[in-house]
Amino acid sequence: MAVTTTALHPVLVLFAHPAVARSRVNLRLVEAARAVPGVTVNDLYERYPDFDIDVAREQELLAAHDVVVMQHPFYWYSTPSILKEWQDLVLEHGWAYGRGGRALVGKVMLNALTAGGPEQAYRPDGPNQFTIRELLAPLEQTARLCGMHYLAPFVVFGTHRLRPAEIEAHAAGFAALLTGLRDGTVDLEAAGRAPLLGASSSPTHGG
Ligand SMILES: Cc1cc2nc3c(=O)[nH]c(=O)nc-3n(C[C@H](O)[C@H](O)[C@H](O)COP(=O)(O)O)c2cc1C
């Protein structure tokens, strides 16, 4: 009897929120992520409150997963600081890039973030001038240097005005995206070219 096996792609969520007790949106997103089989949540602020990052542990986690998702609130048009420290320490020369550095080649990476500003603010003619994807250029290029497939970001806009039901809908959308990445049903080419994945503004609060 022929046996058909479906290769699942383990997903690692690098979760970075410095005040998760006060989070409305990321808390629900990360709870939704934790409920998806095959998803590992690595809570960086919980594990490294003093930023004393265990590089060997982080590299082992990366090696064991095919998909890497940086989940965080948008802080000053970028990530909370522990994710920068994580990059500086974990993505070592000779391991992640450079001579002999091939540990991450072929893996998938994306940002899943929440922004206080509405989607309209992240346009060339808006107050922030740049799209979220443009603002994430250093992360995109870091992923590319490491030989990874960088996908468009999953973004929840206008967080301060979201109603509970809208937050639940975004959490469900995030879980569906993670499930698709795990199962290999996401078109990586299209997701790499897109400006955003799973984004939507609050339908009732435009500005
Ligand atoms: C230090 C700090 C910097 C922030 N910078 C931005 C920013 O650059 N752009 C933006 O849209 N929102 C910004 N915000 C708003 C947060 O992104 C927003 O509060 C968060 O996404 C809400 O998610 P949470 O409910 O999980 O905390 C900032 C908030 C803080 C505290």
Side-chain angles (χ1 to χ4, degrees):
M1 186 177 79
V3 177
T4 307
T5 55
T6 308
L8 296 182
H9 303 284
V11 177
L12 178 64
V13 174
L14 299 173
F15 177 57
H17 195 304
V20 75
R22 292 201 295 274
S23 166
R24 289 179 71 226
V25 186
N26 279 280
L27 182 62
R28 282 301 300 125
L29 296 183
V30 79
E31 284 172 354
R34 281 197 173 99
V36 179
V39 172
T40 305
V41 173
N42 184 23
D43 186 336
L44 295 176
Y45 278 101
E46 180 185 64
R47 184 164 280 270
Y48 306 117
D50 300 320
F51 280 44
D52 190 9
I53 292 174
D54 182 341
V55 172
R57 173 186 181 269
E58 296 302 313
Q59 290 181 347
E60 279 172 28
L61 275 173
L62 286 171
H65 293 80
D66 295 340
V67 180
V68 181
V69 181
M70 292 183 170
Q71 187 207 323
H72 56 92
F74 213 30
Y75 275 7
W76 290 112
Y77 307 106
S78 185
T79 68
S81 52
I82 203 167
L83 269 170
K84 181 62 166 60
E85 182 77 350
W86 182 95
Q87 292 167 67
D88 294 352
L89 296 179
V90 177
L91 303 180
E92 288 180 322
H93 182 271
W95 186 82
Y97 71 100
R99 193 180 170 86
R102 298 186 53 81
L104 302 175
V105 171
K107 295 182 188 290
V108 169
M109 186 184 135
L110 68 147
N111 290 76
L113 64 91
T114 64
E119 184 170 6
Q120 300 91 309
Y122 288 96
R123 292 180 183 168
D125 57 350
N128 293 322
Q129 292 194 62
F130 302 100
T131 66
I132 298 266
R133 174 109 194 214
E134 287 170 339
L135 290 164
L136 293 171
L139 288 156
E140 175 163 357
Q141 183 51 29
T142 296
R144 290 200 174 157
L145 183 71
C146 297
M148 304 173 89
H149 300 290
Y150 186 80
L151 306 187
F154 174 92
V155 183
V156 178
F157 289 101
T159 52
H160 308 304
R161 295 174 172 186
L162 287 178
R163 292 182 295 250
E166 293 170 319
I167 295 172
E168 290 312 308
H170 286 300
F174 187 44
L177 173 63
L178 296 179
T179 301
L181 291 167
R182 179 200 66 187
D183 294 346
T185 58
V186 173
D187 180 341
L188 298 181
E189 287 298 318
R193 286 192 307 270
L196 296 168
L197 295 182
S200 67
S201 297
S202 165
T204 52
H205 297 92

